[in-house]
Amino acid sequence: RLPTLNELPVSFKNGYTVKSVNAHDLPSLGKAMSICVGMYKQQCWLGAVNISAVYDPNGKPVACLEWYYGECGKGYLVQAKLFANKSVCMDETILDLVLEWSKLNNILVNTRDMGGTYEGSGCFLPPRPKPLEERQTLLRSNASQDTCGYMPL
């Protein structure tokens, strides 16, 4: 049997990894990150959602990603949280890593947790030159390539 995307860990040059989290381990991830992801056990067992976590080089979870497969087999990232439910866009290193992970796995971003300019996201990153523009271009290009009901932010 071939592994599905949510079973494959992805390692990055900076020592961070993104790994799938099984339903049994969700409560301990939630406790470590002060988030309510432990309540997603049944949804994960049923295959309704997938939870992946970003781990720092020391193996400590630093972000939690909720995503699912859409009708056309594409993934959709619907939540991206740091410790204590802060949006991933509050940490540029993690934001860049999650955007790279999403692109590698054909997962479309469909959450305000990833953008610094969306109203209500709680993210107010200062304007940056090219890197921020590249992220916004990536978000727009992902949205324009989808034909399966992706709703751009």
Side-chain angles (χ1 to χ4, degrees):
R1 167 174 95 77
L2 293 173
T4 60
L5 178 140
N6 63 329
E7 295 172 330
L8 298 175
V10 178
S11 297
F12 294 91
K13 291 178 189 174
N14 60 6
Y16 285 79
T17 30
V18 179
K19 299 178 189 175
S20 122
V21 180
N22 67 43
H24 178 74
D25 294 331
L26 290 177
S28 60
L29 176 65
K31 185 175 182 179
M33 294 191 60
S34 290
I35 57 177
C36 65
V37 73
M39 297 172 57
Y40 287 70
K41 280 177 83 166
Q42 186 172 7
Q43 290 171 304
C44 286
W45 278 327
L46 296 173
V49 299
N50 296 288
I51 302 294
S52 295
V54 178
Y55 296 88
D56 71 11
N58 297 316
K60 177 183 174 189
V62 294
C64 181
L65 311 174
E66 176 190 349
W67 59 278
Y68 67 94
Y69 285 111
E71 294 174 6
C72 292
K74 289 186 180 179
Y76 295 86
L77 180 65
V78 293
Q79 280 198 79
K81 299 296 185 182
L82 300 169
F83 182 81
N85 251 6
K86 302 279 189 236
S87 294
V88 159
C89 61
M90 302 294 277
D91 183 315
E92 291 184 44
T93 300
I94 305 301
L95 176 62
D96 289 340
L97 186 141
V98 173
L99 282 171
E100 185 178 346
W101 172 81
S102 298
K103 185 177 180 181
L104 283 171
N105 292 297
N106 198 26
I107 294 177
L108 302 173
V109 174
N110 192 16
T111 174
R112 294 175 190 261
D113 292 334
M114 296 292 288
T117 58
Y118 298 113
E119 184 180 333
S121 70
C123 298
F124 303 101
L125 297 176
R128 291 185 358 179
K130 198 168 184 173
L132 179 59
E133 291 169 11
E134 288 174 357
R135 286 197 294 264
Q136 290 172 337
T137 300
L138 174 63
L139 292 171
R140 282 194 295 276
S141 68
N142 278 346
S144 65
Q145 293 172 7
D146 183 40
T147 58
C148 269
Y150 172 74
M151 296 177 6
L153 299 172

